[in-house]
Amino acid sequence: MVLNLLFITTVIKSTFGVVTTGLWLIPLMLAAITYYRYDAVDPESRPLDQLNLYPEYDFIVVGSGSAGAVVANRLSEVRKWKVLLIEAGPDENEISDVPSLAAYLQLSKLDWAYKTEPSTKACLGMQNNRCNWPRGRVLGGSSVLNYMLYVRGNRHDYDHWASLGNPGWDYDHVLRYFKKSEDNRNPYLANNKYHGRGGLLTVQESPWHSPLVAAFVEAGTQLGYDNRDINGAKQAGFMIAQGTIRRGSRCSTAKAFLRPIRARKNFHLSMNSHVTRIIIEPGTMRAQAVEFVKHGKVYRIAARREVILSAGAINTPQLMMLSGLGPRKHLEKHGIRVLQDLPVGENMQDHVGMGGLTFLVDKPVAIVQDRFNPTAVTFQYVLRERGPMTTLGGVEGLAFVHTPYSNRSLDWPDIQFHMAPASINSDNGARVKKVLGLKESVYQEVYHPIANKDSWTIMPLLLRPRSRGSVKLRSANPFHYPLINANYFDDPLDAKTLVEGAKIALRVAEAQVFKQFGSRLWRKPLPNCKQHKFLSDAYLECHVRTISMTIYHPCGTAKMGPAWDPEAVVDPRLRVYGVRGLRVIDASIMPTISSGNTNAPVIMIAEKGADLIKEDWLTNPEYKVKRQANRVRDPEPAGSNIQGIITLPTNVSQSDSSNISDRSNMESNFSNSSHISNINFSSSSSNSSNIESSSNFTLNYADS
């Protein structure tokens, strides 16, 4: 037992950077033990980090998140294809398995820990006016950090994508891909034509609910909204949340899609591998290889057929720009050779929410961290797979409602609610305020007076923002974090719509059903909004701009669109315009953001994207790879005698000219500069907080 405790303490320290002190160290430590039980009953074991890599694969997938894990699984179903999946982070650990501890993973070593650039329009209550943007740097990506909510979006979202010139992306076509991955275990959804059974991704309700979520759903009916499956025929309504959990534990895409294929002979996984660029041959404009750093060594692995970027809406555009694909002026500013002038990094969208709306209750029905007996709660989770540790990051209820700015004749709500039986005050400032990056002055004045009191919250979030942000390079150094401009509320109508959503949330909280708990609004005004009458439109807009919360859904930075769309980066088959053998399959391709949490739509995109690749390479005679007569069936592992630096093989085929997505009037101007043979990446003091310790790493490239 002593050895177990030492191991568990090490896990916690390696995840969070420090060992947590106080009473809640005990459940964190005990929660780690639950993973032993998970492995004992799970049919698969952890994926293996392949150390001996081949010099060439048929497909290389960059990023193992909600999309990349799915793509790697589906492509490796074809036994003759060798597939390499590259992930920048490590495997999941014991803490990430516990649904209620989702917030403890943010700002940990499993998180890229991005921040937006300072704003004068949003995030005003956050430190330096910058919002934290968690992104998963771990096997499974952000499906390991998120709150596990399973929301598909609205059928009109996908019909709109198709109307923009993207055939095959309408709702009727994509529904089967939602169902393909899903194993829905909610009994009331059995034999439902909108849901799947037997897929790899488990979806179900948390086995534990507070009384407040039942009241929330009932309050919705009192306002005229149905209690319905929001992933079914219609979206507007209230429901108890469904999530990607299995036996009370998180079901990430790594667990769902990678563990079952760990033993496939044609699948390799390389973890802790930071991709620095995609190597594109300028003459043929073909993606030839992927370059990455692993354990201090630089690797170059060739792709016979395609490279698939699934690194997410922040890292995918960053990699593309580092590889010479992006806005010409921006790349030239950083001294990067322009291979293709594309609007990479533009069109960024995110769901922004209004946090901090807090309602107090007189009865002990909410989640108050210091009330729970740590040992009892943890063993309830370990032994029975139940209890408050199974909550979906604390979120219990979901709703979709119409504001006056939406067309009620269409079932296309413009506001979503997240309901939780807790609020910013519920952990006495231990974690939530840190995750949000909330200013200490705001917390002390507004939330500290009600610390550890029973409370609950509704967070309204904007479903279809009109504002657009961007991702830009900070420098040509691949270890420097990019510049993220969320640009929240650049369009004033976004803030006004969210204000209307807040008004509806207040009406929900005032419903008769909440009177039994003595529920009432905490009426302490935010310090920077005191000049406005409390709860007036002006005050609510000030609140919206002060506690502006990302819902962790950035997307759109490599927009899918037809050749005539000047904003498009990839075509409807997800091929990058002007580049052979390169696709993007992740949230980056969304033309417009889906109406709801984006994890399920990204998994759908990956399922469909993998099928598009199979269709092209298995049924389209134009997609061919010339075979060398002397090509060995299983090449020798790379790196065994070249000190970790892998050069491109000389027999890479350049003949597959058909798999390029052409755009009319597209030009490619190439410089005559030779390949760089030695690059030194040095950090700048202005970005020291966002640079990894390896940012001074010298990359000595072998000639290619």
Side-chain angles (χ1 to χ4, degrees):
M1 183 62 180
V2 173
L3 291 176
N4 277 350
L5 290 178
L6 288 174
F7 168 75
I8 293 158
T9 302
T10 301
V11 169
I12 296 170
K13 186 173 182 179
S14 65
T15 302
F16 305 127
V18 295
V19 178
T20 309
T21 57
L23 185 63
W24 271 77
L25 174 61
I26 298 173
L28 284 173
M29 292 168 64
L30 293 177
I33 300 175
T34 67
Y35 204 83
Y36 292 118
R37 184 171 186 276
Y38 189 98
D39 279 346
V41 299
D42 197 52
E44 300 93 24
S45 299
R46 291 173 175 271
L48 301 175
D49 185 13
Q50 185 69 32
L51 299 179
N52 296 318
L53 299 173
Y54 298 148
E56 183 184 63
Y57 291 82
D58 289 286
F59 295 93
I60 300 177
V61 183
V62 179
S64 72
S66 298
V70 180
V71 173
N73 179 299
R74 299 309 187 189
L75 292 184
S76 61
E77 289 174 342
V78 182
R79 294 184 180 181
K80 67 179 182 180
W81 289 347
K82 291 181 175 62
V83 178
L84 172 64
L85 177 62
I86 303 175
E87 168 54 44
D91 196 1
E92 301 172 88
N93 61 37
E94 289 73 11
I95 304 302
S96 65
D97 203 44
V98 185
S100 67
L101 298 183
Y104 284 82
L105 301 171
Q106 296 175 20
L107 304 181
S108 76
K109 294 182 179 180
L110 305 184
D111 180 9
W112 285 98
Y114 290 132
K115 291 180 180 291
T116 62
E117 291 302 294
S119 172
T120 59
K121 300 177 182 177
C123 309
L124 303 181
M126 310 306 179
Q127 295 173 17
N128 301 316
N129 292 9
R130 305 176 74 187
C131 278
N132 290 340
W133 266 30
R135 294 283 88 197
R137 187 179 186 176
V138 58
L139 198 66
S142 295
S143 74
V144 176
L145 268 63
N146 69 6
Y147 283 31
M148 295 149 282
L149 301 172
Y150 185 81
V151 180
R152 292 177 175 176
N154 192 290
R155 74 159 41 241
H156 295 295
D157 298 329
Y158 307 108
D159 290 343
H160 179 58
W161 291 6
S163 73
L164 294 176
N166 299 297
W169 289 92
D170 58 281
Y171 179 76
D172 289 338
H173 279 88
V174 303
L175 176 59
R176 71 185 183 96
Y177 290 108
F178 282 114
K179 295 170 66 176
K180 178 180 181 180
S181 61
E182 184 184 20
D183 180 23
N184 197 301
R185 298 183 182 180
N186 291 314
Y188 67 91
L189 295 176
N191 302 317
N192 184 307
K193 69 177 183 178
Y194 294 99
H195 289 280
R197 297 292 296 273
L200 295 174
L201 184 73
T202 306
V203 178
Q204 59 187 94
E205 292 179 6
S206 168
W208 184 89
H209 302 129
S210 74
L212 290 166
V213 70
F216 172 73
V217 174
E218 176 62 25
T221 63
Q222 293 180 11
L223 265 66
Y225 286 94
D226 292 333
N227 173 13
R228 64 155 41 97
D229 169 26
I230 52 90
N231 292 315
K234 294 184 178 181
Q235 188 181 50
F238 285 60
M239 75 172 297
I240 294 175
Q242 301 176 55
T244 51
I245 59 173
R246 180 187 295 166
R247 298 189 301 274
S249 298
R250 178 189 295 272
C251 182
S252 68
T253 55
K255 287 192 180 75
F257 293 92
L258 296 182
R259 292 194 178 192
I261 66 170
R262 66 185 295 274
R264 282 184 185 168
K265 293 182 179 180
N266 64 330
F267 170 69
H268 281 174
L269 167 66
S270 182
M271 291 186 279
N272 300 299
S273 303
H274 189 125
V275 175
T276 55
R277 61 169 175 156
I278 309 303
I279 298 174
I280 299 169
E281 207 289 315
T284 60
M285 284 302 291
R286 181 182 183 275
Q288 286 189 323
V290 176
E291 179 181 87
F292 60 93
V293 178
K294 180 173 184 175
H295 303 319
K297 297 178 181 178
V298 180
Y299 290 80
R300 286 175 175 172
I301 306 295
R304 286 183 74 221
R305 299 175 190 267
E306 292 190 19
V307 174
I308 296 101
L309 290 177
S310 299
I314 306 301
N315 292 36
T316 285
Q318 181 187 24
L319 271 176
M320 293 181 75
M321 288 186 281
L322 289 170
S323 306
L325 310 175
R328 177 176 297 280
K329 291 183 179 179
H330 181 61
L331 299 189
E332 290 176 343
K333 172 185 174 183
H334 294 292
I336 297 173
R337 183 181 185 182
V338 181
L339 298 180
Q340 193 68 53
D341 185 4
L342 292 169
V344 173
E346 303 296 334
N347 189 51
M348 188 174 72
Q349 300 151 67
D350 182 33
H351 290 135
V352 59
M354 171 184 169
L357 199 59
T358 303
F359 306 93
L360 301 176
V361 291
D362 294 329
K363 295 184 179 181
V365 292
I367 295 178
V368 177
Q369 183 165 294
D370 287 355
R371 176 191 300 130
F372 291 116
N373 181 298
T375 304
V377 167
T378 303
F379 275 106
Q380 187 181 17
Y381 172 71
V382 173
L383 301 177
R384 301 184 58 215
E385 300 169 351
R386 295 181 178 277
M389 297 190 82
T390 67
T391 59
L392 305 174
V395 177
E396 288 197 306
L398 298 176
F400 290 83
V401 299
H402 291 276
T403 74
Y405 293 105
S406 69
N407 185 349
R408 295 185 67 96
S409 64
L410 291 175
D411 178 46
W412 206 3
D414 54 350
I415 290 289
Q416 181 182 357
F417 291 156
H418 286 179
M419 175 269 166
S423 191
I424 294 174
N425 58 288
S426 299
D427 67 348
N428 196 22
R431 191 66 186 172
V432 175
K433 73 171 182 180
K434 297 176 183 177
V435 168
L436 296 180
L438 197 65
K439 291 177 179 176
E440 186 65 25
S441 58
V442 175
Y443 179 82
Q444 289 297 329
E445 182 166 342
V446 181
Y447 299 104
H448 181 69
I450 54 173
N452 284 324
K453 293 187 179 295
D454 281 86
S455 60
W456 64 284
T457 189
I458 299 177
M459 181 193 300
L461 62 95
L462 185 67
L463 286 177
R464 290 185 298 284
R466 296 164 178 82
S467 304
R468 296 291 185 267
S470 64
V471 175
K472 301 288 187 184
L473 294 178
R474 189 178 299 273
S475 73
N477 186 336
F479 297 101
H480 283 185
Y481 281 8
L483 297 169
I484 302 171
N485 178 15
N487 210 27
Y488 293 142
F489 310 127
D490 182 61
D491 188 316
L493 199 56
D494 286 349
K496 295 183 183 300
T497 303
L498 206 44
V499 165
E500 294 300 323
K503 292 179 183 178
I504 300 173
L506 291 168
R507 292 204 298 271
V508 170
E510 292 169 357
Q512 185 63 34
V513 67
F514 282 112
K515 302 301 182 186
Q516 62 183 307
F517 306 112
S519 178
R520 72 271 184 197
L521 175 68
W522 173 239
R523 301 182 69 87
K524 184 74 172 179
L526 294 172
N528 61 312
C529 301
K530 291 180 178 179
Q531 68 273 26
H532 305 295
K533 181 182 178 181
F534 190 66
L535 297 187
S536 65
D537 282 14
Y539 176 85
L540 291 175
E541 181 168 342
C542 181
H543 187 140
V544 161
R545 294 180 183 274
T546 300
I547 308 185
S548 318
M549 291 178 57
T550 177
I551 315 299
Y552 321 125
H553 301 157
C555 66
T557 49
K559 180 184 178 183
M560 173 178 64
W564 45 261
D565 183 353
E567 296 180 346
V569 174
V570 302
D571 72 2
R573 299 189 73 81
L574 309 185
R575 301 170 298 189
V576 175
Y577 278 112
V579 184
R580 298 180 179 90
L582 181 63
R583 297 194 203 221
V584 175
I585 303 180
D586 60 23
S588 306
I589 67 99
M590 291 186 177
T592 53
I593 195 168
S594 58
S595 300
N597 302 70
T598 53
N599 190 46
V602 169
I603 293 171
M604 175 278 291
I605 289 169
E607 292 278 20
K608 182 174 173 62
D611 265 10
L612 292 174
I613 293 173
K614 288 179 178 178
E615 289 173 8
D616 286 342
W617 286 99
L618 296 177
T619 65
N620 188 341
E622 294 183 346
Y623 280 73
K624 295 179 181 179
V625 174
K626 282 188 177 180
R627 296 182 178 276
Q628 298 288 338
N630 61 348
R631 183 182 297 277
V632 293
R633 184 175 182 82
D634 288 302
E636 291 296 322
S640 58
N641 59 357
I642 53 176
Q643 300 178 350
I645 298 188
I646 298 176
T647 57
L648 285 172
T650 58
N651 58 354
V652 175
S653 169
Q654 306 287 348
S655 62
D656 52 329
S657 60
S658 60
N659 63 332
I660 183 170
S661 187
D662 294 319
R663 184 200 295 269
S664 59
N665 299 322
M666 181 176 289
E667 297 179 357
S668 299
N669 296 318
F670 309 124
S671 66
N672 294 320
S673 60
S674 59
H675 288 295
I676 297 173
S677 60
N678 188 299
I679 298 179
N680 180 274
F681 293 127
S682 59
S683 61
S684 61
S685 59
S686 63
N687 189 38
S688 59
S689 63
N690 279 338
I691 302 173
E692 298 178 14
S693 59
S694 57
S695 60
N696 291 320
F697 189 79
T698 299
L699 303 184
N700 294 308
Y701 296 150
D703 291 336
S704 60

